[in-house]
């Protein structure tokens, strides 16, 4: 199965700053997603990262706050802009992999745990 | 409306015993998939088991089995012979039709006692 690397694994950030999270996959994947998990909560989809075009954002998430890049089929970045304490969350990259269950399973990176002071 | 409902915020289970985690779902789509993921304290999401809406048999993966009751729209996870390493948060999730996005339930924290 593919290996998904996320950087940073954790960070402590100051209010008003921005941070970019990287997601690197060791094989080409068609679909990549970014999720947010606020403390004690479930996962919420932020957006679908589209290769070569603008990301598709879910309701409640906007490009100005969460700009996403996906320059190729193995790499994506998520930026959390102008951070506030409410942005303290685990941010997870996930990819759709072909495999035993066909293309049905989403595999997740280890997550990036951000704390905003 | 909530698509995935997990009503058990937390459960305790004795080591070597079985535990059942409840999950109900809501969809009008005839084609969907149901997933269970495990999230240890480290934060990573580990895929456990998958059940397709057209699958005739209940899914099993080692100590994990999925009790799929389509008419009741439930997809309960059964962990047999619990181990200390099973202590984690467990999420039920659903994919609808050809959309690969997942909707997650609130999760259930499982604590295995020695």
């Amino acid at each position: 199965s593919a290996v998904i690397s996320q950087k940073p694994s954790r960070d402590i950030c100051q209010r008003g700053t921005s941070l970019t999270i990287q997601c690197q996959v060791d094989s080409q994947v068609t679909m990549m997603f970014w999720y947010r998990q606020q403390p004690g909560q479930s996962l919420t989809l932020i957006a679908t990262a589209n290769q070569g075009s603008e990301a598709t954002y879910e309701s409640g998430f906007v490009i100005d706050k969460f700009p996403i890049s996906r320059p190729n089929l193995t790499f994506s970045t998520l930026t959390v802009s102008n951070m506030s304490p409410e942005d303290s969350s685990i941010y997870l990259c996930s990819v759709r992999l072909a495999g035993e269950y066909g293309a049905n399973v989403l595999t997740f990176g280890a997550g990036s745990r951000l704390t905003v002071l | 409306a909530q698509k995935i409902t997990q009503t058990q915020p937390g459960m305790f289970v004795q080591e070597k015993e079985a535990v059942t985690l409840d999950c109900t779902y809501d969809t009008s789509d005839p084609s969907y998939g149901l997933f269970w993921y495990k999230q240890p304290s480290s934060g990573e999401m580990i895929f456990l088991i998958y059940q397709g809406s057209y699958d005739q048999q209940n899914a099993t993966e080692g100590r994990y089995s999925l009790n799929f009751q389509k008419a009741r729209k439930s997809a309960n996870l059964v962990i047999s012979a619990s181990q200390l390493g099973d202590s984690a948060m467990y999420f039920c999730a659903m994919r609808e039709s050809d959309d690969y996005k997942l909707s997650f339930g609130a999760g259930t924290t499982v604590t295995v006692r020695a």
Side-chain angles (χ1 to χ4, degrees):
Chain A
S1 59
V3 174
I4 305 170
S5 302
Q6 265 189 252
K7 293 180 183 179
S9 58
R10 58 176 64 232
D11 207 339
I12 299 174
C13 308
Q14 295 299 317
R15 184 193 301 256
T17 63
S18 299
L19 183 79
T20 296
I21 302 167
Q22 298 180 2
C23 178
Q24 177 76 55
V25 190
D26 68 353
S27 60
Q28 292 186 344
V29 294
T30 53
M31 306 191 78
M32 296 180 77
F33 304 91
W34 286 98
Y35 283 83
R36 180 177 74 179
Q37 186 179 24
Q38 293 176 301
Q41 304 294 314
S42 186
L43 281 75
T44 301
L45 180 65
I46 298 172
T48 303
N50 300 309
Q51 194 265 325
S53 64
E54 194 171 284
T56 305
Y57 289 84
E58 297 299 305
S59 175
F61 296 96
V62 296
I63 188 171
D64 290 346
K65 176 67 176 177
F66 298 101
I68 289 171
S69 78
R70 188 168 175 202
N72 55 53
L73 292 175
T74 64
F75 185 77
S76 178
T77 67
L78 167 74
T79 299
V80 186
S81 303
N82 189 24
M83 285 186 283
S84 67
E86 293 70 35
D87 294 318
S88 298
S89 298
I90 301 174
Y91 293 86
L92 296 117
C93 166
S94 71
V95 303
R96 171 195 164 196
L97 293 177
E100 181 178 344
Y101 294 97
N104 288 314
V105 176
L106 286 191
T107 300
F108 286 80
S112 299
R113 191 183 297 260
L114 302 188
T115 301
V116 184
L117 303 177
Chain B
Q2 196 81 325
K3 290 188 177 182
I4 295 287
T5 302
Q6 294 180 255
T7 58
Q8 305 153 311
M11 297 187 72
F12 291 93
V13 60
Q14 206 64 32
E15 196 177 10
K16 300 180 184 177
E17 292 185 350
V19 61
T20 298
L21 309 183
D22 295 340
C23 173
T24 58
Y25 59 92
D26 182 25
T27 182
S28 57
D29 197 324
S31 175
Y32 53 90
L34 297 157
F35 303 77
W36 279 91
Y37 285 86
K38 172 184 177 181
Q39 187 179 43
S41 57
S42 58
E44 63 188 306
M45 292 287 286
I46 302 168
F47 165 73
L48 296 178
I49 196 166
Y50 165 80
Q51 180 86 41
S53 60
Y54 294 119
D55 293 343
Q56 297 295 314
Q57 306 269 6
N58 284 345
T60 61
E61 284 291 337
R63 294 187 299 110
Y64 304 108
S65 60
L66 199 152
N67 183 4
F68 182 45
Q69 298 189 41
K70 196 169 183 177
R72 296 179 59 187
K73 292 189 175 180
S74 75
N76 298 340
L77 176 71
V78 180
I79 306 174
S80 62
S82 296
Q83 303 172 356
L84 295 177
D86 293 335
S87 294
M89 178 79 90
Y90 289 81
F91 290 98
C92 181
M94 179 173 67
R95 170 191 61 80
E96 293 175 284
S97 189
D98 291 331
D99 191 336
Y100 288 95
K101 299 181 291 188
L102 292 182
S103 299
F104 284 85
T108 297
T109 300
V110 172
T111 303
V112 180
R113 290 169 162 160

